[in-house]
Amino acid sequence: AGVFVWAVLAGEWERGVILPTLLSVPVFVYLHLCVYFYGGPNHVRLRYVAGVFALAYAIAPFNFSALAYLIFGFFMIAYLVRVRVAMLVIVASIAGFVVQMWWLGAPTEAIMSALVPSLTLAIIAIFTAYAHKHQMQLRRSQDEILRLATLAERERIGRDLHDLLGHTLSVVALKSELARKLIDRDIDAARSEIAEVERVARDSLAQLRNAVSVIRSTAL
């Protein structure tokens, strides 16, 4: 609706103003949707944004409210490139539009009425994009911290289980081997070693269950 503001205020309803503006609307909608829904490389999105800027300059000779297309382009470009690059592009586009209006013979009041809101909305677009990018960076940092914390916890659990089971299994293996050697020579001693293996295994199982219950109750 913003592209029809100048025509309404100036009372310019002739075909030379309204018809080009109406024809430009579906073109802008197509470019706008392509920017937001295209899933390919970023440089392709920049081509669609360039098309929005070009559309604003193309409609300006018929309707100065084409500045609305340019402002939409501000918000698009601010999210797609670095802040410094976006600032340069936006300032250059505003300067180009003002020069075009002057070259088309627009009065000073019209130029100022286009310059002030365009600069204001340009600042808003840059600040909004900067805040969004900063928030996304913080979110990525938090995700990385969570990933590292999870990895460290897994390593700690692995070390604890290795320390717990490694020693126990070594004892079980040694005593089982000893019981096998004693079974033909001293059956009582072999029975004693087997009983010790059973005791060590049960004690290890209890420790393992306790460790697992502690792990489950610990929140990452």
Side-chain angles (χ1 to χ4, degrees), residues 98-170:
V98 169
V99 171
Q100 185 182 25
M101 290 183 68
W102 172 80
W103 182 74
L104 292 171
T108 304
E109 294 80 4
I111 294 176
M112 293 303 298
S113 65
L115 182 61
V116 173
S118 62
L119 288 175
T120 302
L121 292 171
I123 294 173
I124 294 174
I126 293 172
F127 177 78
T128 304
Y130 174 79
H132 175 75
K133 292 176 182 178
H134 185 65
Q135 183 180 7
M136 294 300 296
Q137 186 177 4
L138 289 177
R139 183 175 299 177
R140 286 193 296 268
S141 299
Q142 292 173 353
D143 291 342
E144 181 65 14
I145 291 172
L146 179 60
R147 187 188 68 82
L148 293 176
T150 304
L151 180 61
E153 184 68 11
R154 288 175 179 174
E155 292 178 351
R156 185 190 68 80
I157 293 172
R159 289 193 301 268
D160 291 345
L161 294 178
H162 179 270
D163 294 341
L164 176 62
L165 296 178
H167 174 71
T168 301
L169 292 177
S170 297

Side-chain angles (χ1 to χ4, degrees), residues 2-3 6 21 52-74 88-119 122:
V3 291
W6 178 81
T21 305
V52 174
F53 280 93
L55 182 65
Y57 294 120
I59 300 300
F62 308 98
N63 186 350
F64 289 144
S65 290
L67 176 68
Y69 292 150
L70 207 64
I71 292 172
F72 271 100
F74 296 166
L88 293 176
V89 172
I90 290 173
V91 170
S93 64
I94 293 175
F97 197 85
V98 169
V99 171
Q100 185 182 25
M101 290 183 68
W102 172 80
W103 182 74
L104 292 171
T108 304
E109 294 80 4
I111 294 176
M112 293 303 298
S113 65
L115 182 61
V116 173
S118 62
L119 288 175

